[in-house]
Amino acid sequence: MTAKEILETYDNIVVIQVYLEDWVMFRLFGKEFLLMSPSKDDISSTATICLYNDEGLDFPHILLKNINIDEGEMLPVGKYRLVCLYEQESVVQSLFSYEDKIMDAVDRLIELLTMTKTEREKEFQKEFLYYWNSAADLQCADVYLKQDIKFCKLQKYCSGTITRYIEQDVGLMDLNSRNSKGERKWQQHFETEVFFIPITDSREILPPYRNHFWTIENVKEIIYGKQINHISADTYFQLKSEIVYTQNVILVFEMNGVHTKVCFAVMVKCKNRSGRTLLEKVNEDGIEISLIATKRKDYLYLNEIIGNDRILYDKKVLLVGGGSLGSYVAPELVKNGASDIVLYDGDKLYDENRMRWVFGGLGINSNKANILGLLLKMIHPQVHTEIHENNLDEEALKSELQSVDLIIFTIGSSDMQLRFNRILSELHCKIPVFFVWLEAGGQYSHILTVNYEKQGCFECLYTNADGELVNNRAMLNTEAQLESSLVRNGCGGTRAAYGTSVLLRTVAVLLNIMQKVFSGEIKNNTLIDILSDKVSYPAHIIPMEGCNCCGNRKKLQMCETETSK
């Protein structure tokens, strides 16, 4: 069937004219549209529809910008506006025939034009920020919140053309940075006070669109709505008590959209600057508003919009080791909600490890911890790093235990892991500890989760049933495999050979295990074996009753000590 024949099967469509290769002008519900048929030679192509010469039709998903066609073109002269009928990647066009693509596009257009008021409101709110930022009068402002459910005052900072609205106690590490002249890059501005107002009921709050512009009345309706209480009673009383001392005010609103939170800001221009409450300022002194293009950029929000949970949020992590494995673990912790990292490593990064260092050649011949700290801060300005260009020792560990929420060991030395395991046990460590290590050859890696209030610890792996110390019982490599995987560089120095695939899968499993530990899914101390094709939880390795650190022998020794006393 041709496009014309397909359109003629619809009772409410009148075909006006066919242009080019199956491009058809048609009338639907008194409006004219242009159908641009999909290519018959490209199975991934889609059918596209434009609204023709209608400035007044304001439905969601009809783009604001006009495409002007002049004389001499193959199409009628006039203004065309694209109709957005598909979400990106929502439909695999290659699966549908030429006819099905056209019918699907037309069916979607009819569904769009026959929406109820409530359905239109929902669709407009999906695209709220597109309309808002397109209509904005003032340059973009970045919003950084610590929470988004309570009214609060924000601080305004500017650097060149960049503006930030920041909630107090949101620690942006770059606010005190200076340029080459020693001048502060960010300056705090006091000429206009800024407030954050959470919206609890978003009904009938629509973005500005063609022929429907925002005025001061829209702002008053949110704050003092008579039909709908858009804000909570607590927020309303705070508006009544907050005194404003600047002539104009900036209001940052946020509401729950269909799939995400919507943050938008306005400047309210007022008559005078006498000290009045914020509610009085808006309702009685407000004259006009200017829309501010708005982007929320705080660490919490950026984690939430990609689906990260909040298990690691606000947790301070002690990461011991910034080598190959540590360099992969550190940025993934930051990208998964841990913005406060304490890092210890006394070694330098050398060329031999360039290919398994997560940032490649950056930082060669520099201290690993130092270069990692610098690169982690580049992920987000709220990331705080405490860098120690030395290896962790007993006194430092005791000190860190006073403030950190969890510990991750990514060091390769079994002796150091055993030593720290003993220290943590003797100190009755009360926070979760994760030992993470790789076996030479790149086939196997392991994670051990330890709660020192329960049985099972790192020394259990090195203890047999008789309580004697043996080589790591969790090791899956044979002696021959281990020997063939070592690279010797003289004077007794060795380096284990392994590629990046074992690093990637180990970090992925570590993030999953941390989630299970903090959610309570993993309750006991657990060993995890990570292979290229599976993840297993061997139950026979720990706890070991004969362990001198956490087993029955330790209990017996404690009883003997008490008896002698």
Side-chain angles (χ1 to χ4, degrees):
M1 296 177 70
T2 64
K4 177 176 179 291
E5 291 170 337
I6 293 170
L7 291 175
E8 287 175 339
T9 64
Y10 289 84
D11 293 336
N12 45 11
I13 288 180
V14 176
V15 173
I16 300 172
Q17 182 68 45
V18 178
Y19 304 93
L20 302 172
E21 295 182 10
D22 250 8
W23 287 26
V24 184
M25 187 74 74
F26 65 94
R27 185 178 293 110
L28 173 64
F29 302 143
K31 306 294 181 181
E32 292 186 9
F33 297 89
L34 174 68
L35 167 68
M36 295 176 279
S37 300
S39 169
K40 294 180 179 178
D41 299 323
D42 180 4
I43 62 171
S44 65
S45 65
T46 184
T48 304
I49 295 177
C50 288
L51 174 66
Y52 175 62
N53 270 354
D54 195 317
E55 297 290 315
L57 184 60
D58 290 306
F59 272 74
H61 309 307
I62 298 178
L63 299 192
L64 302 175
K65 187 176 180 180
N66 289 321
I67 301 172
N68 296 316
I69 300 295
D70 300 322
E71 290 282 358
E73 303 290 340
M74 298 296 292
L75 294 171
V77 174
K79 296 179 179 180
Y80 296 77
R81 291 163 59 195
L82 282 168
V83 183
C84 182
L85 298 172
Y86 300 94
E87 291 183 335
Q88 189 175 7
E89 305 297 334
S90 62
V91 176
V92 181
Q93 295 290 340
S94 301
L95 303 179
F96 296 93
S97 68
Y98 173 83
E99 292 84 0
D100 286 339
K101 291 178 184 180
I102 293 175
M103 287 188 286
D104 184 52
V106 174
D107 290 343
R108 288 170 180 263
L109 177 64
I110 292 172
E111 183 180 354
L112 176 67
L113 297 177
T114 55
M115 281 181 178
T116 65
K117 179 183 176 182
T118 302
E119 289 171 335
R120 288 179 60 188
E121 177 182 299
K122 180 180 177 181
E123 293 303 311
F124 266 126
Q125 287 189 350
K126 279 184 183 179
E127 306 292 336
F128 192 99
L129 285 180
Y130 165 75
Y131 290 101
W132 185 271
N133 291 339
S134 297
D137 309 297
L138 302 178
Q139 66 186 38
C140 185
D142 301 331
V143 178
Y144 293 84
L145 301 175
K146 190 173 179 65
Q147 55 77 41
D148 52 18
I149 59 174
K150 294 181 180 179
F151 170 87
C152 63
K153 190 171 183 178
L154 307 181
Q155 298 172 328
K156 179 181 178 181
Y157 282 84
C158 295
S159 177
T161 59
I162 304 174
T163 300
R164 288 174 171 175
Y165 303 143
I166 308 169
E167 185 177 354
Q168 192 172 3
D169 297 330
V170 172
L172 298 187
M173 304 309 296
D174 61 351
L175 277 187
N176 294 321
S177 59
R178 298 179 180 272
N179 59 24
S180 57
K181 298 179 181 179
E183 301 167 334
R184 294 175 67 96
K185 292 183 179 180
W186 291 94
Q187 299 292 331
Q188 187 170 1
H189 286 240
F190 301 95
E191 73 280 1
T192 307
E193 292 182 79
V194 186
F195 300 93
F196 171 69
I197 301 176
I199 295 172
T200 54
D201 190 334
S202 62
R203 284 178 297 163
E204 298 188 7
I205 299 179
L206 298 179
Y209 53 99
R210 282 177 178 251
N211 305 317
H212 296 272
F213 305 104
W214 267 53
T215 68
I216 186 64
E217 298 305 319
N218 294 83
V219 176
K220 290 179 180 179
E221 175 59 31
I222 293 176
I223 290 177
Y224 198 66
K226 291 182 172 59
Q227 300 298 322
I228 300 174
N229 293 325
H230 293 292
I231 60 177
S232 68
D234 181 64
T235 298
Y236 179 77
F237 286 121
Q238 287 185 283
L239 295 177
K240 287 181 67 176
S241 60
E242 183 72 38
I243 303 298
V244 180
Y245 296 99
T246 58
Q247 179 168 345
N248 302 323
V249 293
I250 293 172
L251 305 179
V252 179
F253 295 102
E254 183 169 278
M255 62 185 182
N256 288 323
V258 178
H259 298 299
T260 187
K261 295 175 179 177
V262 177
C263 186
F264 56 100
V266 295
M267 175 182 282
V268 180
K269 299 177 182 178
C270 302
K271 298 175 186 176
N272 56 61
R273 58 179 302 142
S274 58
R276 308 195 71 186
T277 68
L278 182 54
L279 187 66
E280 293 170 336
K281 194 77 173 168
V282 174
N283 279 340
E284 299 175 20
D285 292 350
I287 304 171
E288 60 180 359
I289 62 170
S290 293
L291 309 191
I292 302 172
T294 313
K295 288 184 179 179
R296 188 170 166 190
K297 289 189 176 182
D298 55 82
Y299 185 77
L300 172 62
Y301 173 75
L302 294 180
N303 273 276
E304 286 181 343
I305 61 172
I306 64 168
N308 282 346
D309 57 41
R310 301 181 65 164
I311 284 180
L312 291 180
Y313 188 67
D314 274 346
K315 286 185 170 56
K316 187 175 183 179
V317 182
L318 170 58
L319 178 61
V320 184
S324 299
L325 179 56
S327 79
Y328 276 76
V329 169
E332 292 308 316
L333 289 174
V334 169
K335 294 174 188 175
N336 281 271
S339 60
D340 197 351
I341 309 290
V342 182
L343 179 59
Y344 281 81
D345 198 307
D347 292 338
K348 289 185 177 181
L349 176 65
Y350 295 111
D351 279 310
E352 289 80 2
N353 274 337
R354 178 191 293 259
M355 295 307 170
R356 59 189 189 193
W357 171 260
V358 72
F359 296 107
L362 292 174
I364 292 296
N365 297 320
S366 300
N367 174 267
K368 294 175 182 177
N370 186 47
I371 193 63
L372 259 182
L374 292 173
L375 295 168
L376 292 179
K377 289 179 182 178
M378 295 174 65
I379 296 176
H380 192 276
Q382 277 179 259
V383 174
H384 174 264
T385 60
E386 185 181 316
I387 301 304
H388 299 270
E389 297 184 28
N390 56 276
N391 293 327
L392 184 71
D393 57 30
E394 182 174 349
E395 290 304 313
L397 179 56
K398 289 179 181 178
S399 175
E400 297 297 351
L401 278 177
Q402 306 303 311
S403 61
V404 299
D405 299 297
L406 68 144
I407 303 173
I408 302 174
F409 289 98
T410 57
I411 51 180
S413 169
S414 299
D415 287 319
M416 295 303 296
Q417 289 170 314
L418 285 165
R419 179 187 172 205
F420 288 130
N421 176 74
R422 274 293 182 111
I423 295 170
L424 290 168
S425 178
E426 291 167 0
L427 292 173
H428 305 292
C429 174
K430 298 185 182 302
I431 61 175
V433 177
F434 301 83
F435 293 91
V436 191
W437 71 99
L438 314 174
E439 290 194 32
Q443 293 189 59
Y444 314 115
S445 59
H446 309 271
I447 299 170
L448 178 66
T449 71
V450 181
N451 175 348
Y452 284 95
E453 296 180 338
K454 298 183 179 182
Q455 273 197 292
C457 69
F458 192 77
E459 192 168 318
C460 287
L461 306 179
Y462 290 80
T463 306
N464 65 18
D466 298 324
E468 298 170 338
L469 290 176
V470 295
N471 203 4
N472 193 338
R473 295 182 299 110
M475 185 166 63
L476 299 175
N477 269 329
T478 64
E479 290 294 333
Q481 289 173 319
L482 179 63
E483 179 67 21
S484 65
S485 299
L486 292 179
V487 179
R488 290 174 169 80
N489 53 12
C491 297
T494 61
R495 186 173 65 256
Y498 55 83
T500 58
S501 60
V502 67
L503 295 168
L504 292 167
R505 63 176 175 262
T506 302
V507 174
V509 175
L510 173 62
L511 293 173
N512 181 255
I513 294 301
M514 292 172 70
Q515 192 176 51
K516 290 182 177 181
V517 168
F518 284 108
S519 67
E521 186 176 343
I522 292 180
K523 294 181 173 63
N524 296 317
N525 296 346
T526 305
L527 174 68
I528 301 96
D529 293 340
I530 305 164
L531 287 69
S532 59
D533 58 346
K534 67 178 180 178
V535 176
S536 60
Y537 299 77
H540 65 284
I541 303 291
I542 66 164
M544 179 57 69
E545 290 186 356
C547 176
N548 285 288
C549 184
C550 71
N552 287 341
R553 180 167 299 188
K554 179 182 176 184
K555 292 180 180 179
L556 180 61
Q557 289 171 346
M558 291 174 67
C559 290
E560 290 173 349
T561 302
E562 290 296 323
T563 302
S564 64
K565 288 181 180 180

